[in-house]
Amino acid sequence: MLKFQSLMRTAKLASVPLLLASLAACATPFNADVSRFQTQLPAPQGETFAVVPGDPALAGGLEFAQYAQYVAQQMRQLGYTQAASAENASLLVRFNYGVNDGRTVVQSTPGFRDPFYGPWYGYSPFYRSRLGFYGSPWAFGFHDPFFGGPDIRSYTVFTSGIELQIERPGGERLFEGRAEAVSRSNRLPYLVPNLVEAMFTDFPGNSGETLRISIAPERTTVRRVN
């Protein structure tokens, strides 16, 4: 019995490099669909801006302040000057973000399975956007080699998005944009910076045009199984 347990542990450890390799192969980018509409945006010279929440409930929040920094950085790179306050800005950049509850996708794949180390999947309904909690859509672990049948996998996909409007303090709208993406992550600290980058790629773009822009995949942490 001791010898069999030792063999099982050796086989599991030997599978770890293969698991890491398979995870790396699966780490493909997801795509963001970006739609933008504009009138003639003013040249940056002499213009100042302030990033303000599109949803008043976000005002003063630390999470919004962090994400607003990504938008402000992109505006500064375009040559616009950040104002000390919204009252002193010649341009107001209204910004909003969010992620939905997700939906579960089930896949069945026939064929060979590693008899000692393979994927098990589960969905936790707990998630977090700015209104909820995080969850873990999938994980890796040991499975019984004597259960046959197809390899059934389930995972959760989430739709995330940001909205951006640039307007004069009096309400004259100069720019409207939306970026959306479908991915296995619901982590806003990962999603929002990438969606902002997609929004400002070739900014301001052609009015009325929708582009698909590739977003870098999230790094996946492998949980050690003893």
Side-chain angles (χ1 to χ4, degrees):
M1 179 63 69
L2 181 61
K3 183 176 180 180
F4 177 75
Q5 291 177 345
S6 177
L7 177 62
M8 291 280 286
R9 181 173 179 82
T10 300
K12 287 166 65 178
L13 291 175
S15 300
V16 171
L18 295 176
L19 174 61
L20 293 173
S22 65
L23 281 176
C26 293
T28 56
F30 68 88
N31 295 315
D33 290 328
V34 180
S35 301
R36 296 176 288 205
F37 302 86
Q38 59 157 316
T39 60
Q40 185 64 41
L41 280 172
Q45 290 74 20
E47 299 286 352
T48 59
F49 74 90
V51 182
V52 297
D55 181 355
L58 298 175
L62 297 178
E63 184 179 29
F64 173 79
Q66 177 175 323
Y67 302 149
Q69 291 178 8
Y70 300 120
V71 178
Q73 180 182 7
Q74 295 285 346
M75 291 292 292
R76 291 194 299 267
Q77 289 179 355
L78 292 172
Y80 294 95
T81 301
Q82 189 168 5
S85 67
E87 291 74 15
N88 299 324
S90 62
L91 297 172
L92 296 179
V93 183
R94 299 195 180 277
F95 175 58
N96 203 4
Y97 55 87
V99 61
N100 70 357
D101 296 351
R103 62 184 177 87
T104 301
V105 178
V106 179
Q107 292 181 337
S108 177
T109 306
F112 173 77
R113 292 187 298 170
D114 188 323
F116 299 113
Y117 207 96
W120 59 268
Y121 291 79
Y123 169 61
S124 168
F126 300 102
Y127 62 93
R128 190 180 83 86
S129 66
R130 54 187 174 84
L131 302 176
F133 298 93
Y134 282 121
S136 178
W138 54 272
F140 280 82
F142 177 78
H143 72 257
D144 192 323
F146 302 105
F147 283 92
D151 185 7
I152 299 176
R153 306 182 178 190
S154 66
Y155 54 90
T156 305
V157 295
F158 302 89
T159 301
S160 57
I162 64 171
E163 293 180 342
L164 193 75
Q165 293 94 34
I166 301 177
E167 61 187 40
R168 292 293 188 186
E172 179 189 359
R173 187 65 56 85
L174 304 175
F175 175 88
E176 295 179 354
R178 180 183 297 108
E180 295 181 344
V182 176
S183 72
R184 295 192 186 185
S185 176
N186 66 342
R187 296 185 62 251
L188 288 172
Y190 156 67
L191 295 166
V192 172
N194 284 297
L195 289 168
V196 170
E197 181 179 351
M199 175 68 73
F200 281 92
T201 298
D202 297 326
F203 188 86
N206 297 320
S207 186
E209 183 178 59
T210 298
L211 299 177
R212 177 156 289 186
I213 298 174
S214 180
I215 302 297
E218 183 179 25
R219 291 186 177 182
T220 303
T221 301
V222 178
R223 187 179 65 188
R224 182 181 181 87
V225 180
N226 295 320

